[in-house]
Amino acid sequence: MTDIVAGGIPEDIDRCIEVWIHALRDRDGDVDSRSVADRMRRLFDGPVLRFALTGERLAGFALTTPKTNDETTAVLERLAVLPSSAGQGHGRALLRDAIRYSSDAGFVSIELAVRRGNAAIRLYESEGFAPVSTPVPHPLGGEPMITYRRGLIDGHRGFSAAPSALSVPRVPGPGIVLRPFEASDIDAVLDASFDRSITDVTTVPFAADHGLAGQWLVRQHERAAAGIGYSFAIEANEGCVGQIGLWLRDRDQGRATVGYWIRPARRGQGYAHSALRTLTEWAWHLSDLHRLQLHIDPTNVPSLRTAERAGYTREGLLHSWQKVGDERRDMLVYSRLRSPWPIAEPAADEPG
């Protein structure tokens, strides 16, 4: 029997980073230990659901986190066993611990990303995981990565099936095109990452390097593959100027949430208004949606104007709605219902 304990001290993180580096060296040969360690530490800086260790002298570990912008899904971010301890059941024990802990915590499903052809896929499939995405190139090495998911048992709700994968289309609009993100869009993400008005209210990491920005691009495809929603790049003049998303957590209630940002150097040209108008009209092709909503900081006057010009109606102020930086902030809620009405044409001289 393999014993599982929870990591609880900083030294545990250091030991697990060493395990991860050893595992990568065994798989890939020489690796850049410093950059690998830096990326690993960033994972522990965010929310941690479960940090599990196994083996008297640390044979392996698993790190499980809540999925960003999806309160129903847990993510097994890392699972590694020392090559010298392979074949002793440590990996399966850690995997089952992550599944059990995520289920007990109330999550509906658990996901992990794995390189295509990885021998561990047999382990994951034997524990109920199934692929839910097509291969997506890893932002660092380019290896094709596939997202696997399994449902969890909830004592009150029973087994919950995973949502269906989505395909992000190309949608043309006035002066812009909404399309899936591409590797070449990394400059837009890097630009946005130095704007606190974006990073404080979105999943774009602050002051990102190429590695973090590339991981963010991969996650946009994973969100569609997991059925969470549509993440569109906003293209204008053959370049990415921002993002707009249609998030479907409440799709079973006939509603969806919209969010958008424009990179600092491309604001004031009407791109946000055009993207919001285009996304809104396209969203009505999803026959089960009847309400779209936006949450906007009351001090963000350009975004308020964008929503109103795109036909959204202010409904009210949500007090202490979300944490922005280090403080709780109010948010205005805007909505657009399926019933159509005229929308103003975009104006290039107004902020977007």
Side-chain angles (χ1 to χ4, degrees), residues 49 251 282 295 318:
L49 173 62
R251 187 172 184 173
W282 176 82
H295 298 104
L318 302 172

Side-chain angles (χ1 to χ4, degrees), residues 14-350:
D14 293 332
R15 295 161 65 210
C16 290
I17 289 174
E18 289 299 315
V19 170
W20 184 249
I21 291 172
H22 280 296
L24 290 183
R25 283 176 177 161
D26 184 69
R27 187 190 70 185
D28 301 333
D30 191 29
V31 297
D32 184 343
S33 302
R34 179 174 295 179
S35 63
V36 170
D38 288 344
R39 290 195 298 272
M40 277 290 292
R41 290 185 192 283
R42 292 190 191 106
L43 292 176
F44 288 95
D45 288 339
V48 173
L49 173 62
R50 173 69 164 166
F51 175 28
L53 313 175
T54 185
E56 184 176 348
R57 299 183 61 182
L58 186 57
F61 76 96
L63 175 64
T64 310
T65 68
K67 187 164 185 176
T68 303
N69 284 347
D70 181 5
E71 62 186 20
T72 68
T73 302
V75 178
L76 185 59
E77 287 281 2
R78 294 289 188 272
L79 190 156
V81 174
L82 280 173
S84 59
S85 299
Q88 300 177 32
H90 295 303
R92 188 177 297 275
L94 287 164
L95 182 60
R96 288 180 173 176
D97 176 79
I99 293 170
R100 181 173 56 254
Y101 200 94
S102 300
S103 177
D104 290 346
F107 288 87
V108 172
S109 61
I110 183 170
E111 294 181 354
L112 55 87
V114 60
R115 181 191 294 191
R116 185 172 61 184
N118 190 325
I121 288 176
R122 293 192 296 272
L123 167 64
Y124 302 140
E125 291 180 340
S126 71
E127 293 294 333
F129 286 81
V132 294
S133 77
T134 55
V136 177
H138 191 280
L140 298 180
E143 303 90 351
M145 305 292 291
I146 302 173
T147 299
Y148 278 71
R149 183 192 302 125
R150 66 155 282 169
L152 300 173
I153 300 298
D154 184 295
H156 300 288
R157 291 174 289 181
F159 180 79
S160 176
S164 301
L166 307 171
S167 177
V168 180
R170 290 181 64 90
V171 185
I176 55 99
V177 174
L178 306 184
R179 58 162 175 79
F181 275 95
E182 303 170 352
S184 59
D185 298 328
I186 194 167
D187 285 345
V189 182
L190 291 170
D191 188 14
S193 78
F194 287 92
D195 186 336
R196 282 291 190 184
S197 70
I198 294 175
T199 60
D200 282 352
V201 294
T202 74
T203 61
V204 175
F206 178 68
D209 56 18
H210 277 74
L212 286 174
Q215 291 171 22
W216 186 88
L217 289 173
V218 169
R219 287 196 294 273
Q220 305 320 296
H221 292 274
E222 291 176 343
R223 288 172 177 174
I228 294 169
Y230 297 88
S231 181
F232 290 96
I234 306 170
E235 179 180 303
N237 298 321
E238 301 183 349
C240 177
V241 300
Q243 179 210 25
I244 189 165
L246 182 70
W247 309 117
L248 303 174
R249 184 178 64 181
D250 299 320
R251 187 172 184 173
D252 61 335
Q253 298 296 318
R255 58 180 182 261
T257 301
V258 179
Y260 51 85
W261 55 262
I262 301 295
R263 57 192 297 185
R266 306 303 295 273
R267 291 174 183 159
Q269 300 176 58
Y271 295 136
H273 170 250
S274 186
L276 181 56
R277 172 184 175 182
T278 300
L279 178 69
T280 300
E281 295 307 308
W282 176 82
W284 300 135
H285 290 83
L286 304 177
S287 60
D288 53 345
L289 290 185
H290 299 275
R291 170 189 169 89
L292 303 180
Q293 58 191 22
L294 295 161
H295 298 104
I296 306 175
D297 187 325
T299 65
N300 190 346
V301 176
S303 192
L304 299 177
R305 291 174 177 169
T306 294
E308 291 167 357
R309 292 179 58 239
Y312 284 73
T313 301
R314 183 184 302 194
E315 292 187 339
L317 183 66
L318 302 172
H319 294 285
S320 191
W321 177 251
Q322 72 184 74
K323 188 176 181 180
V324 178
D326 296 325
E327 62 177 332
R328 302 292 306 181
R329 297 288 291 275
D330 299 342
M331 288 287 160
L332 286 166
V333 59
Y334 279 74
S335 73
R336 174 86 190 270
L337 306 183
R338 180 173 284 275
S339 303
W341 55 67
I343 303 176
E345 290 295 323
D349 59 347
E350 291 197 28

